[in-house]
């Protein structure tokens, strides 16, 4: 009797526990399925990253807003998107109808904004637009806004055409529909790509920004810097004086390169010449594939102005003071001739205000070392000492000539 009663109680207890566990499983199953289902997780991730918005429907005819779409609210706005590289850049989102100024002064409009835009009448065009479109013409250059920008080029068979993945620090930006893309690590002001009409649609630039692999609403600052690198904050924050104005840099280096007279008049070489088996043009004798000498000059000047504060900071660190105008100008000319040699220059400069002979000797030593170690700086048969003597002598001569002309004009 006792055995039967014990067995009954045990089974009754087990049944109760089984019932309770089953009830718990039934209650917890729906939340668990929701929490661990891959589709739900993907939606939640997208919601956190891109937010939830509600807009009124709009009407477009031939690309013009007849009834504009209005955003009613936005819940949990896009996370991230802030520049990790330059916090001083404009972080406002790019909107349709805004304008951007190119390096040559041309103004382009944002023709299509970020987000849902419906059917725009172009076969294959995305209705959920994960970037912004700018009405750029063919071969508009895009520039590296700072040193060390990494570019990867690939073809998007889905309609994007030629694409450039542009890594700026830890951030990824993408330019689509390009005419040309130039892979590699770029210096400040160097051309990354030229816009075009590859893929779907007429000539324009589609610009995207990603944060942790998710496309977000692009911000104004970095897009403006890629279109016009002179607008990067540091281009306006020079390390201090003395400084060299644009005309002095351009004319002196142009004279050294044979593309300008001492009075800064353009020579035939400005429009195109061969140097070390390469076709160069512009005052800076550029070989970077710019569409015109004027575009090359703007980009190369921006590059040299961009490195000026770094040169002066290095001078203060190594030599105890900023370079004189003559030394700075000759450092910029060496940077234009051989960036690697210019990086070695401070090993050989004896002071921040060296004599012409000391500048020649320092440049000769830096370029010789560079050519010996990595092979940069002109043709294999270049006489480095003679070349540096010529460049420094001509450069300082042109600098003094232009300063004299300026003073004479002031005295009149």
């Amino acid at each position: 009797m006792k055995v039967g009663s014990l067995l009954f109680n045990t089974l009754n207890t087990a049944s109760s526990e089984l019932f309770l566990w089953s009830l718990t499983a039934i209650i917890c199953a729906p939340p668990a399925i929701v929490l661990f289902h891959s589709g739900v997780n993907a939606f939640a991730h997208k919601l956190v990253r891109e937010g939830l918005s509600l807009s009124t429907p709009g009407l477009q005819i031939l690309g013009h807003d007849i009834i504009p779409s209005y955003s009613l609210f936005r819940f949990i706005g896009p996370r991230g998107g802030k520049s990790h590289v330059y916090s001083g850049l404009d972080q406002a989102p790019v909107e349709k109808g805004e304008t951007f100024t190119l390096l040559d002064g041309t103004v382009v409009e944002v023709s299509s904004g970020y987000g849902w835009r419906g059917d725009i009448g172009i076969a294959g065009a995305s209705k959920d637009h994960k970037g912004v479109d700018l009405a750029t013409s063919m071969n508009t250059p895009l520039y590296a806004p700072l040193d060390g920008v990494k570019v990867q080029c690939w073809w998007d068979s889905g309609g994007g055409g030629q694409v450039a993945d542009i890594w700026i620090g830890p951030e990824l930006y993408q330019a689509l529909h390009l005419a040309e893309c130039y892979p590699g690590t770029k210096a400040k002001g160097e051309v990354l790509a030229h816009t075009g009409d590859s893929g779907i649609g007429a000539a324009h630039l589609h610009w995207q920004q990603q944060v942790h692999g998710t496309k977000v609403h692009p911000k104004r600052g970095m897009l403006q810097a890629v279109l016009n690198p002179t607008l990067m904050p540091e281009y306006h924050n020079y390390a201090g004086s003395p400084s060299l104005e644009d005309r002095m840099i351009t004319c002196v280096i142009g004279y050294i390169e044979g593309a300008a007279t001492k009075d800064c008049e353009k020579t035939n070489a400005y429009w195109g010449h061969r140097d070390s088996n390469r076709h160069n043009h512009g005052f800076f004798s550029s070989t970077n594939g710019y569409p015109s000498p004027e575009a090359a000059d703007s980009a190369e000047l921006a590059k040299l102005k961009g490195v000026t504060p770094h040169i002066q900071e290095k001078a203060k660190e190594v030599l105890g003071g900023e370079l004189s105008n003559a030394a700075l100008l000759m450092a910029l000319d060496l940077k234009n001739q051989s960036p690697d040699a210019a990086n070695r220059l401070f090993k050989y400069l004896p002071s921040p205000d060296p004599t012409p002979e000391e500048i020649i000797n320092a440049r000769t030593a830096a370029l010789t070392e560079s050519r010996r170690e990595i092979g940069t700086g002109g043709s294999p048969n270049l006489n480095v000492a003679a070349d540096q003597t010529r460049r420094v002598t001509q450069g300082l001569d042109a600098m003094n000539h232009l300063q004299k002309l300026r003073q004479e004009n002031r005295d009149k």
Side-chain angles (χ1 to χ4, degrees):
M1 190 71 177
K2 290 182 179 180
V3 172
S5 176
L6 180 63
L7 180 61
F8 175 79
N9 290 335
T10 301
L11 291 173
N12 188 46
T13 302
S15 298
S16 299
E17 291 181 355
L18 180 61
F19 172 76
L20 290 175
W21 277 112
S22 298
L23 182 62
T24 301
I26 292 171
I27 294 173
C28 295
I33 293 172
V34 170
L35 287 174
F36 295 106
H37 189 276
S38 59
V40 174
N41 274 319
F43 173 78
H45 178 80
K46 191 175 184 66
L47 179 65
V48 170
R49 291 295 178 193
E50 298 188 18
L52 175 66
S53 63
L54 178 63
S55 301
T56 61
L59 175 64
Q60 277 195 342
I61 297 179
L62 299 177
H64 297 283
D65 286 322
I66 305 303
I67 301 177
S69 175
Y70 294 98
S71 177
L72 298 178
F73 74 93
R74 188 171 186 86
F75 176 68
I76 312 180
R79 301 292 180 88
K82 182 177 181 181
S83 171
H84 298 284
V85 183
Y86 285 99
S87 59
L89 290 175
D90 185 355
Q91 297 302 319
V94 179
E95 302 293 353
K96 181 179 177 181
E98 291 187 70
T99 58
F100 287 81
T101 302
L102 306 183
L103 186 57
D104 64 3
T106 302
V107 176
V108 295
E109 184 176 344
V110 179
S111 56
S112 186
Y114 178 86
W116 186 262
R117 60 181 182 175
D119 188 354
I120 62 171
I122 299 176
S126 173
K127 294 181 179 180
D128 189 10
H129 202 213
K130 292 305 182 183
V132 295
D133 289 345
L134 274 72
T136 53
S137 59
M138 287 289 295
N139 294 315
T140 297
L142 306 179
Y143 303 96
L146 66 158
D147 287 335
V149 172
K150 293 180 174 58
V151 179
Q152 295 173 316
C153 304
W154 57 283
W155 185 268
D156 176 20
S157 58
Q162 181 67 62
V163 180
D165 284 350
I166 304 168
W167 288 95
I168 302 176
E171 300 176 339
L172 174 60
Y173 300 84
Q174 291 176 307
L176 284 69
H177 308 298
L178 301 173
E180 296 289 344
C181 176
Y182 310 109
T185 301
K186 305 298 179 181
K188 189 177 307 173
E190 191 172 351
V191 173
L192 308 173
H194 284 99
T195 64
D197 59 358
S198 61
I200 295 174
H204 71 286
L205 168 66
H206 175 91
W207 178 258
Q208 296 181 165
Q209 179 177 347
Q210 293 194 24
V211 175
H212 304 304
T214 300
K215 295 174 182 135
V216 299
H217 197 145
K219 306 303 185 291
R220 284 189 57 86
M222 195 59 77
L223 174 56
Q224 180 64 85
V226 168
L227 294 168
N228 185 350
T230 64
L231 298 180
M232 279 293 282
E234 70 171 355
Y235 278 86
H236 300 291
N237 297 323
Y238 299 118
S241 59
S243 62
L244 297 171
E245 70 271 25
D246 297 356
R247 178 176 168 79
M248 182 66 76
I249 297 172
T250 302
C251 296
V252 169
I253 295 181
Y255 181 60
I256 293 172
E257 293 290 347
T261 67
K262 195 186 296 187
D263 292 323
C264 206
E265 299 293 333
K266 296 174 182 176
T267 67
N268 290 335
Y270 176 86
W271 306 106
H273 62 280
R274 298 199 70 79
D275 180 17
S276 300
N277 252 351
R278 297 171 298 183
H279 180 77
N280 300 358
H281 59 191
F283 284 120
F284 298 95
S285 195
S286 173
T287 61
N288 284 328
Y290 301 108
S292 68
E294 292 80 8
D297 288 344
S298 295
E300 295 298 325
L301 177 61
K303 186 189 305 184
L304 293 180
K305 288 173 65 177
V307 301
T308 296
H310 301 291
I311 290 175
Q312 293 292 38
E313 285 297 327
K314 186 70 172 179
K316 288 191 291 185
E317 175 188 337
V318 176
L319 304 175
E322 294 183 341
L323 296 180
S324 64
N325 275 352
L328 175 58
L329 189 50
M330 292 301 96
L332 292 177
D333 173 62
L334 185 59
K335 187 76 173 179
N336 184 65
Q337 182 186 18
S338 170
D340 181 77
N343 293 336
R344 303 168 187 263
L345 183 63
F346 287 102
K347 293 171 59 176
Y348 302 103
L349 279 175
S351 72
D353 187 17
T355 65
E357 291 75 21
E358 289 172 336
I359 295 174
I360 292 171
N361 292 338
R363 285 183 48 145
T364 300
L367 187 58
T368 300
E369 180 182 280
S370 178
R371 285 164 61 82
R372 182 176 63 248
E373 294 189 6
I374 66 173
T376 64
S379 65
N381 299 322
L382 179 70
N383 183 324
V384 175
D387 175 64
Q388 294 306 299
T389 299
R390 177 193 67 80
R391 294 184 74 98
V392 172
T393 301
Q394 286 187 349
L396 297 182
D397 184 28
M399 177 181 175
N400 293 331
H401 177 72
L402 292 171
Q403 288 177 335
K404 182 179 178 181
L405 289 180
R406 179 186 303 160
Q407 187 60 48
E408 290 175 351
N409 289 332
R410 288 175 180 171
D411 292 341
K412 289 181 180 179

